[in-house]
Amino acid sequence: GAVVSQHPSWVICKSGTSVKIECRSLDFQATTMFWYRQFPKQSLMLMATSNEGSKATYEQGVEKDKFLINHASLTLSTLTVTSAHPEDSSFYICSAPGLAGALDEQYFGPGTRLTVT
Amino acid sequence: KQEVTQIPAALSVPEGENLVLNCSFTDSAIYNLQWFRQDPGKGLTSLLLIQSSQREQTSGRLNASLDKSSGRSTLYIAASQPGDSATYLCAVKGISGTYKYIFGTGTRLKVLA
């Protein structure tokens, strides 16, 4: 099956700094990728849809100026958490749809655990 | 707006029991439904994918069914083992817009040895 990687797998940063998380599709191209956030003991919440070559689409309640998404190529999307605060500490997971499009499954990255101190 | 709910939220069973996890969704206009397993602090492991035209899928001790018209799916785990302990998530892909998945609330399963 298709493989999606994320980097870093975990990161600790100080409050007020920015953190960039990368999501890569390793063996397929993805014009669309999705970013999710998961707080402890909660389910995954969709944050935004990353579109190659165009602006990301954010879900209601997600601050687009705080969570910057750049989908610069067909295999890479980045999420930058700007001016991070402790409440941004969470598990961030990206995904991409398989090449079969609507009927294919979603392939998920292993996640990035962000801790803001 | 699609909402996905899973019942029960948590489940603790003795080893060897057969069990059923439930997933319900409010909008039946879906492409497919996927079941995942998530171990603590880890990412997602895909278990089963059911297309909207399918009624069920099977993999080993796992069987997932889909009743799209009633907005329900069940995950059946036969002869549960302690290694099955994890959180199980269902997710649906809607037919409108992009291929985004909406996740359920999850069921935390603990199988006791």
mmCIF file of all heavy atoms in Angstrom, chain A residues 56-99:
data_model
loop_
_atom_site.group_PDB
_atom_site.id
_atom_site.type_symbol
_atom_site.label_atom_id
_atom_site.label_comp_id
_atom_site.label_asym_id
_atom_site.label_seq_id
_atom_site.Cartn_x
_atom_site.Cartn_y
_atom_site.Cartn_z
ATOM 1 N N ALA A 56 -5.002 26.328 1.057
ATOM 2 C CA ALA A 56 -5.630 25.272 1.845
ATOM 3 C C ALA A 56 -7.050 25.680 2.234
ATOM 4 O O ALA A 56 -7.381 26.865 2.297
ATOM 5 C CB ALA A 56 -4.798 25.011 3.095
ATOM 6 N N THR A 57 -7.850 24.683 2.497
ATOM 7 C CA THR A 57 -9.224 24.899 2.965
ATOM 8 C C THR A 57 -9.284 24.510 4.430
ATOM 9 O O THR A 57 -8.995 23.367 4.771
ATOM 10 C CB THR A 57 -10.213 24.051 2.162
ATOM 11 O OG1 THR A 57 -10.075 24.338 0.766
ATOM 12 C CG2 THR A 57 -11.636 24.349 2.609
ATOM 13 N N TYR A 58 -9.675 25.445 5.267
ATOM 14 C CA TYR A 58 -9.673 25.212 6.702
ATOM 15 C C TYR A 58 -11.076 24.878 7.199
ATOM 16 O O TYR A 58 -12.067 25.422 6.726
ATOM 17 C CB TYR A 58 -9.143 26.435 7.443
ATOM 18 C CG TYR A 58 -7.665 26.679 7.206
ATOM 19 C CD1 TYR A 58 -7.206 27.333 6.062
ATOM 20 C CD2 TYR A 58 -6.724 26.233 8.123
ATOM 21 C CE1 TYR A 58 -5.855 27.528 5.836
ATOM 22 C CE2 TYR A 58 -5.360 26.437 7.918
ATOM 23 C CZ TYR A 58 -4.942 27.081 6.769
ATOM 24 O OH TYR A 58 -3.594 27.267 6.552
ATOM 25 N N GLU A 59 -11.115 23.997 8.180
ATOM 26 C CA GLU A 59 -12.388 23.673 8.816
ATOM 27 C C GLU A 59 -12.807 24.816 9.736
ATOM 28 O O GLU A 59 -11.970 25.624 10.191
ATOM 29 C CB GLU A 59 -12.278 22.375 9.589
ATOM 30 C CG GLU A 59 -11.994 21.164 8.713
ATOM 31 C CD GLU A 59 -13.093 20.883 7.716
ATOM 32 O OE1 GLU A 59 -14.265 20.747 8.136
ATOM 33 O OE2 GLU A 59 -12.783 20.804 6.506
ATOM 34 N N GLN A 60 -14.078 24.840 10.012
ATOM 35 C CA GLN A 60 -14.608 25.904 10.861
ATOM 36 C C GLN A 60 -13.940 25.880 12.222
ATOM 37 O O GLN A 60 -13.780 24.818 12.839
ATOM 38 C CB GLN A 60 -16.114 25.705 11.025
ATOM 39 C CG GLN A 60 -16.829 26.878 11.676
ATOM 40 C CD GLN A 60 -18.340 26.706 11.666
ATOM 41 O OE1 GLN A 60 -18.844 25.650 11.257
ATOM 42 N NE2 GLN A 60 -19.059 27.710 12.082
ATOM 43 N N GLY A 61 -13.526 27.055 12.672
ATOM 44 C CA GLY A 61 -12.907 27.162 13.979
ATOM 45 C C GLY A 61 -11.398 27.022 13.983
ATOM 46 O O GLY A 61 -10.776 27.212 15.033
ATOM 47 N N VAL A 62 -10.802 26.688 12.861
ATOM 48 C CA VAL A 62 -9.341 26.552 12.778
ATOM 49 C C VAL A 62 -8.761 27.846 12.229
ATOM 50 O O VAL A 62 -9.164 28.314 11.161
ATOM 51 C CB VAL A 62 -8.953 25.371 11.876
ATOM 52 C CG1 VAL A 62 -7.425 25.279 11.752
ATOM 53 C CG2 VAL A 62 -9.523 24.077 12.420
ATOM 54 N N GLU A 63 -7.817 28.428 12.965
ATOM 55 C CA GLU A 63 -7.242 29.711 12.572
ATOM 56 C C GLU A 63 -6.212 29.527 11.464
ATOM 57 O O GLU A 63 -5.135 28.963 11.678
ATOM 58 C CB GLU A 63 -6.562 30.354 13.778
ATOM 59 C CG GLU A 63 -7.485 30.639 14.948
ATOM 60 C CD GLU A 63 -6.698 31.174 16.130
ATOM 61 O OE1 GLU A 63 -6.041 32.222 15.954
ATOM 62 O OE2 GLU A 63 -6.726 30.562 17.199
ATOM 63 N N LYS A 64 -6.512 30.027 10.300
ATOM 64 C CA LYS A 64 -5.614 29.831 9.168
ATOM 65 C C LYS A 64 -4.310 30.596 9.313
ATOM 66 O O LYS A 64 -3.280 30.212 8.745
ATOM 67 C CB LYS A 64 -6.306 30.204 7.858
ATOM 68 C CG LYS A 64 -6.740 31.643 7.768
ATOM 69 C CD LYS A 64 -7.418 31.894 6.435
ATOM 70 C CE LYS A 64 -7.866 33.336 6.293
ATOM 71 N NZ LYS A 64 -8.546 33.589 4.994
ATOM 72 N N ASP A 65 -4.340 31.690 10.061
ATOM 73 C CA ASP A 65 -3.104 32.458 10.250
ATOM 74 C C ASP A 65 -2.196 31.828 11.290
ATOM 75 O O ASP A 65 -1.011 32.154 11.369
ATOM 76 C CB ASP A 65 -3.432 33.896 10.668
ATOM 77 C CG ASP A 65 -4.145 34.655 9.558
ATOM 78 O OD1 ASP A 65 -3.902 34.337 8.379
ATOM 79 O OD2 ASP A 65 -4.955 35.542 9.877
ATOM 80 N N LYS A 66 -2.753 30.953 12.078
ATOM 81 C CA LYS A 66 -1.951 30.283 13.093
ATOM 82 C C LYS A 66 -1.396 28.961 12.557
ATOM 83 O O LYS A 66 -0.281 28.580 12.862
ATOM 84 C CB LYS A 66 -2.791 30.004 14.337
ATOM 85 C CG LYS A 66 -2.009 29.322 15.434
ATOM 86 C CD LYS A 66 -2.788 29.265 16.719
ATOM 87 C CE LYS A 66 -1.943 28.643 17.810
ATOM 88 N NZ LYS A 66 -0.739 29.443 18.092
ATOM 89 N N PHE A 67 -2.177 28.287 11.772
ATOM 90 C CA PHE A 67 -1.767 26.998 11.207
ATOM 91 C C PHE A 67 -1.583 27.184 9.696
ATOM 92 O O PHE A 67 -2.516 27.045 8.914
ATOM 93 C CB PHE A 67 -2.810 25.929 11.506
ATOM 94 C CG PHE A 67 -3.023 25.688 12.968
ATOM 95 C CD1 PHE A 67 -4.088 26.277 13.645
ATOM 96 C CD2 PHE A 67 -2.145 24.876 13.685
ATOM 97 C CE1 PHE A 67 -4.279 26.044 14.996
ATOM 98 C CE2 PHE A 67 -2.341 24.643 15.039
ATOM 99 C CZ PHE A 67 -3.403 25.235 15.702
ATOM 100 N N LEU A 68 -0.347 27.478 9.336
ATOM 101 C CA LEU A 68 -0.032 27.757 7.937
ATOM 102 C C LEU A 68 0.244 26.453 7.197
ATOM 103 O O LEU A 68 1.066 25.654 7.633
ATOM 104 C CB LEU A 68 1.180 28.684 7.835
ATOM 105 C CG LEU A 68 1.038 30.044 8.534
ATOM 106 C CD1 LEU A 68 2.317 30.859 8.358
ATOM 107 C CD2 LEU A 68 -0.159 30.804 8.017
ATOM 108 N N ILE A 69 -0.417 26.288 6.080
ATOM 109 C CA ILE A 69 -0.252 25.070 5.291
ATOM 110 C C ILE A 69 0.278 25.442 3.913
ATOM 111 O O ILE A 69 -0.243 26.335 3.247
ATOM 112 C CB ILE A 69 -1.583 24.309 5.171
ATOM 113 C CG1 ILE A 69 -1.969 23.739 6.539
ATOM 114 C CG2 ILE A 69 -1.474 23.190 4.142
ATOM 115 C CD1 ILE A 69 -3.341 23.113 6.576
ATOM 116 N N ASN A 70 1.309 24.716 3.508
ATOM 117 C CA ASN A 70 1.906 24.911 2.194
ATOM 118 C C ASN A 70 2.041 23.564 1.504
ATOM 119 O O ASN A 70 2.662 22.658 2.038
ATOM 120 C CB ASN A 70 3.280 25.575 2.335
ATOM 121 C CG ASN A 70 3.905 25.864 0.981
ATOM 122 O OD1 ASN A 70 3.199 26.046 -0.009
ATOM 123 N ND2 ASN A 70 5.219 25.912 0.932
ATOM 124 N N HIS A 71 1.450 23.448 0.343
ATOM 125 C CA HIS A 71 1.499 22.187 -0.419
ATOM 126 C C HIS A 71 2.277 22.483 -1.695
ATOM 127 O O HIS A 71 1.702 22.690 -2.757
ATOM 128 C CB HIS A 71 0.074 21.735 -0.724
ATOM 129 C CG HIS A 71 -0.044 20.302 -1.117
ATOM 130 N ND1 HIS A 71 -1.123 19.532 -0.739
ATOM 131 C CD2 HIS A 71 0.760 19.495 -1.837
ATOM 132 C CE1 HIS A 71 -0.976 18.315 -1.242
ATOM 133 N NE2 HIS A 71 0.156 18.274 -1.900
ATOM 134 N N ALA A 72 3.591 22.510 -1.540
ATOM 135 C CA ALA A 72 4.464 23.026 -2.593
ATOM 136 C C ALA A 72 4.706 22.056 -3.738
ATOM 137 O O ALA A 72 5.070 22.463 -4.836
ATOM 138 C CB ALA A 72 5.802 23.445 -1.987
ATOM 139 N N SER A 73 4.514 20.766 -3.473
ATOM 140 C CA SER A 73 4.755 19.788 -4.527
ATOM 141 C C SER A 73 3.739 18.664 -4.407
ATOM 142 O O SER A 73 2.947 18.629 -3.468
ATOM 143 C CB SER A 73 6.173 19.217 -4.420
ATOM 144 O OG SER A 73 6.264 18.280 -3.368
ATOM 145 N N LEU A 74 3.782 17.756 -5.339
ATOM 146 C CA LEU A 74 2.811 16.658 -5.348
ATOM 147 C C LEU A 74 3.104 15.594 -4.302
ATOM 148 O O LEU A 74 2.344 14.633 -4.171
ATOM 149 C CB LEU A 74 2.762 16.012 -6.736
ATOM 150 C CG LEU A 74 2.123 16.873 -7.819
ATOM 151 C CD1 LEU A 74 2.306 16.219 -9.182
ATOM 152 C CD2 LEU A 74 0.651 17.106 -7.529
ATOM 153 N N THR A 75 4.210 15.765 -3.570
ATOM 154 C CA THR A 75 4.541 14.775 -2.551
ATOM 155 C C THR A 75 4.797 15.382 -1.177
ATOM 156 O O THR A 75 5.151 14.669 -0.247
ATOM 157 C CB THR A 75 5.790 13.971 -2.961
ATOM 158 O OG1 THR A 75 6.883 14.873 -3.138
ATOM 159 C CG2 THR A 75 5.547 13.185 -4.252
ATOM 160 N N LEU A 76 4.622 16.680 -1.037
ATOM 161 C CA LEU A 76 4.966 17.314 0.230
ATOM 162 C C LEU A 76 3.958 18.388 0.619
ATOM 163 O O LEU A 76 3.650 19.291 -0.159
ATOM 164 C CB LEU A 76 6.351 17.953 0.145
ATOM 165 C CG LEU A 76 6.791 18.788 1.348
ATOM 166 C CD1 LEU A 76 6.914 17.913 2.599
ATOM 167 C CD2 LEU A 76 8.122 19.491 1.053
ATOM 168 N N SER A 77 3.470 18.270 1.848
ATOM 169 C CA SER A 77 2.661 19.315 2.458
ATOM 170 C C SER A 77 3.281 19.631 3.811
ATOM 171 O O SER A 77 3.746 18.730 4.501
ATOM 172 C CB SER A 77 1.212 18.860 2.641
ATOM 173 O OG SER A 77 0.461 19.830 3.358
ATOM 174 N N THR A 78 3.294 20.903 4.169
ATOM 175 C CA THR A 78 3.836 21.283 5.471
ATOM 176 C C THR A 78 2.795 22.049 6.267
ATOM 177 O O THR A 78 1.998 22.813 5.718
ATOM 178 C CB THR A 78 5.098 22.145 5.334
ATOM 179 O OG1 THR A 78 4.781 23.346 4.616
ATOM 180 C CG2 THR A 78 6.200 21.391 4.600
ATOM 181 N N LEU A 79 2.830 21.806 7.564
ATOM 182 C CA LEU A 79 1.975 22.519 8.511
ATOM 183 C C LEU A 79 2.891 23.272 9.459
ATOM 184 O O LEU A 79 3.733 22.650 10.110
ATOM 185 C CB LEU A 79 1.098 21.533 9.286
ATOM 186 C CG LEU A 79 0.333 22.087 10.496
ATOM 187 C CD1 LEU A 79 -0.743 23.067 10.051
ATOM 188 C CD2 LEU A 79 -0.283 20.961 11.320
ATOM 189 N N THR A 80 2.744 24.570 9.514
ATOM 190 C CA THR A 80 3.538 25.375 10.441
ATOM 191 C C THR A 80 2.620 25.938 11.510
ATOM 192 O O THR A 80 1.655 26.645 11.196
ATOM 193 C CB THR A 80 4.253 26.528 9.712
ATOM 194 O OG1 THR A 80 5.117 25.992 8.701
ATOM 195 C CG2 THR A 80 5.080 27.343 10.693
ATOM 196 N N VAL A 81 2.941 25.591 12.746
ATOM 197 C CA VAL A 81 2.209 26.134 13.887
ATOM 198 C C VAL A 81 2.952 27.397 14.308
ATOM 199 O O VAL A 81 4.094 27.314 14.788
ATOM 200 C CB VAL A 81 2.136 25.130 15.038
ATOM 201 C CG1 VAL A 81 1.299 25.684 16.187
ATOM 202 C CG2 VAL A 81 1.567 23.802 14.559
ATOM 203 N N THR A 82 2.356 28.532 14.101
ATOM 204 C CA THR A 82 3.029 29.796 14.389
ATOM 205 C C THR A 82 2.711 30.256 15.809
ATOM 206 O O THR A 82 1.609 30.033 16.316
ATOM 207 C CB THR A 82 2.594 30.882 13.393
ATOM 208 O OG1 THR A 82 1.188 31.106 13.545
ATOM 209 C CG2 THR A 82 2.874 30.459 11.963
ATOM 210 N N SER A 83 3.692 30.866 16.435
ATOM 211 C CA SER A 83 3.529 31.380 17.790
ATOM 212 C C SER A 83 2.815 30.345 18.667
ATOM 213 O O SER A 83 1.731 30.606 19.217
ATOM 214 C CB SER A 83 2.749 32.697 17.774
ATOM 215 O OG SER A 83 2.710 33.266 19.067
ATOM 216 N N ALA A 84 3.445 29.198 18.757
ATOM 217 C CA ALA A 84 2.818 28.079 19.463
ATOM 218 C C ALA A 84 2.635 28.378 20.949
ATOM 219 O O ALA A 84 3.458 29.057 21.577
ATOM 220 C CB ALA A 84 3.659 26.828 19.281
ATOM 221 N N HIS A 85 1.548 27.865 21.506
ATOM 222 C CA HIS A 85 1.261 27.982 22.923
ATOM 223 C C HIS A 85 0.974 26.595 23.478
ATOM 224 O O HIS A 85 0.689 25.657 22.719
ATOM 225 C CB HIS A 85 0.078 28.923 23.144
ATOM 226 C CG HIS A 85 0.402 30.361 22.881
ATOM 227 N ND1 HIS A 85 0.187 30.956 21.662
ATOM 228 C CD2 HIS A 85 0.966 31.301 23.676
ATOM 229 C CE1 HIS A 85 0.586 32.213 21.715
ATOM 230 N NE2 HIS A 85 1.059 32.458 22.915
ATOM 231 N N PRO A 86 1.030 26.448 24.794
ATOM 232 C CA PRO A 86 0.807 25.120 25.387
ATOM 233 C C PRO A 86 -0.493 24.459 24.924
ATOM 234 O O PRO A 86 -0.537 23.233 24.782
ATOM 235 C CB PRO A 86 0.792 25.417 26.888
ATOM 236 C CG PRO A 86 1.728 26.576 27.032
ATOM 237 C CD PRO A 86 1.480 27.426 25.809
ATOM 238 N N GLU A 87 -1.521 25.224 24.665
ATOM 239 C CA GLU A 87 -2.789 24.621 24.224
ATOM 240 C C GLU A 87 -2.711 24.043 22.817
ATOM 241 O O GLU A 87 -3.629 23.334 22.382
ATOM 242 C CB GLU A 87 -3.929 25.631 24.304
ATOM 243 C CG GLU A 87 -3.712 26.905 23.516
ATOM 244 C CD GLU A 87 -3.145 28.026 24.366
ATOM 245 O OE1 GLU A 87 -2.385 27.728 25.323
ATOM 246 O OE2 GLU A 87 -3.447 29.193 24.069
ATOM 247 N N ASP A 88 -1.630 24.351 22.102
ATOM 248 C CA ASP A 88 -1.420 23.750 20.781
ATOM 249 C C ASP A 88 -0.755 22.382 20.883
ATOM 250 O O ASP A 88 -0.625 21.682 19.856
ATOM 251 C CB ASP A 88 -0.554 24.660 19.905
ATOM 252 C CG ASP A 88 -1.203 26.010 19.644
ATOM 253 O OD1 ASP A 88 -2.433 26.040 19.466
ATOM 254 O OD2 ASP A 88 -0.482 27.028 19.636
ATOM 255 N N SER A 89 -0.344 22.010 22.071
ATOM 256 C CA SER A 89 0.251 20.691 22.264
ATOM 257 C C SER A 89 -0.773 19.628 21.880
ATOM 258 O O SER A 89 -1.886 19.612 22.402
ATOM 259 C CB SER A 89 0.674 20.505 23.720
ATOM 260 O OG SER A 89 1.658 21.448 24.086
ATOM 261 N N SER A 90 -0.379 18.769 20.981
ATOM 262 C CA SER A 90 -1.330 17.794 20.448
ATOM 263 C C SER A 90 -0.577 16.809 19.565
ATOM 264 O O SER A 90 0.630 16.917 19.363
ATOM 265 C CB SER A 90 -2.411 18.521 19.628
ATOM 266 O OG SER A 90 -3.438 17.635 19.242
ATOM 267 N N PHE A 91 -1.322 15.859 19.053
ATOM 268 C CA PHE A 91 -0.802 14.879 18.097
ATOM 269 C C PHE A 91 -1.343 15.285 16.730
ATOM 270 O O PHE A 91 -2.553 15.354 16.544
ATOM 271 C CB PHE A 91 -1.296 13.481 18.503
ATOM 272 C CG PHE A 91 -0.607 12.341 17.814
ATOM 273 C CD1 PHE A 91 0.777 12.263 17.772
ATOM 274 C CD2 PHE A 91 -1.347 11.315 17.241
ATOM 275 C CE1 PHE A 91 1.419 11.189 17.162
ATOM 276 C CE2 PHE A 91 -0.718 10.240 16.629
ATOM 277 C CZ PHE A 91 0.666 10.175 16.593
ATOM 278 N N TYR A 92 -0.454 15.583 15.796
ATOM 279 C CA TYR A 92 -0.859 16.045 14.466
ATOM 280 C C TYR A 92 -0.608 14.913 13.462
ATOM 281 O O TYR A 92 0.487 14.364 13.383
ATOM 282 C CB TYR A 92 -0.089 17.298 14.070
ATOM 283 C CG TYR A 92 -0.456 18.494 14.914
ATOM 284 C CD1 TYR A 92 0.176 18.726 16.129
ATOM 285 C CD2 TYR A 92 -1.451 19.372 14.518
ATOM 286 C CE1 TYR A 92 -0.173 19.809 16.930
ATOM 287 C CE2 TYR A 92 -1.811 20.462 15.303
ATOM 288 C CZ TYR A 92 -1.166 20.663 16.512
ATOM 289 O OH TYR A 92 -1.531 21.740 17.294
ATOM 290 N N ILE A 93 -1.630 14.582 12.702
ATOM 291 C CA ILE A 93 -1.551 13.488 11.740
ATOM 292 C C ILE A 93 -1.978 13.981 10.364
ATOM 293 O O ILE A 93 -2.964 14.705 10.244
ATOM 294 C CB ILE A 93 -2.457 12.307 12.141
ATOM 295 C CG1 ILE A 93 -2.106 11.805 13.534
ATOM 296 C CG2 ILE A 93 -2.332 11.165 11.143
ATOM 297 C CD1 ILE A 93 -2.989 10.663 14.013
ATOM 298 N N CYS A 94 -1.245 13.588 9.344
ATOM 299 C CA CYS A 94 -1.641 13.944 7.988
ATOM 300 C C CYS A 94 -2.084 12.682 7.248
ATOM 301 O O CYS A 94 -1.772 11.560 7.660
ATOM 302 C CB CYS A 94 -0.512 14.621 7.226
ATOM 303 S SG CYS A 94 0.874 13.536 6.844
ATOM 304 N N SER A 95 -2.818 12.880 6.185
ATOM 305 C CA SER A 95 -3.242 11.743 5.368
ATOM 306 C C SER A 95 -3.357 12.165 3.918
ATOM 307 O O SER A 95 -3.418 13.355 3.602
ATOM 308 C CB SER A 95 -4.583 11.178 5.846
ATOM 309 O OG SER A 95 -5.647 12.046 5.483
ATOM 310 N N ALA A 96 -3.378 11.177 3.057
ATOM 311 C CA ALA A 96 -3.564 11.431 1.633
ATOM 312 C C ALA A 96 -4.434 10.337 1.050
ATOM 313 O O ALA A 96 -4.321 9.170 1.461
ATOM 314 C CB ALA A 96 -2.216 11.474 0.916
ATOM 315 N N PRO A 97 -5.299 10.668 0.114
ATOM 316 C CA PRO A 97 -6.114 9.632 -0.520
ATOM 317 C C PRO A 97 -5.278 8.836 -1.506
ATOM 318 O O PRO A 97 -4.343 9.350 -2.112
ATOM 319 C CB PRO A 97 -7.207 10.430 -1.246
ATOM 320 C CG PRO A 97 -6.584 11.757 -1.499
ATOM 321 C CD PRO A 97 -5.628 12.010 -0.378
ATOM 322 N N GLY A 98 -5.615 7.564 -1.656
ATOM 323 C CA GLY A 98 -4.911 6.729 -2.601
ATOM 324 C C GLY A 98 -5.201 7.133 -4.035
ATOM 325 O O GLY A 98 -6.067 7.960 -4.306
ATOM 326 N N LEU A 99 -4.496 6.521 -4.950
ATOM 327 C CA LEU A 99 -4.575 6.915 -6.346
ATOM 328 C C LEU A 99 -5.924 6.609 -6.979
ATOM 329 O O LEU A 99 -6.258 7.162 -8.027
ATOM 330 C CB LEU A 99 -3.459 6.232 -7.147
ATOM 331 C CG LEU A 99 -2.043 6.694 -6.783
ATOM 332 C CD1 LEU A 99 -1.016 5.920 -7.591
ATOM 333 C CD2 LEU A 99 -1.899 8.185 -7.021
#
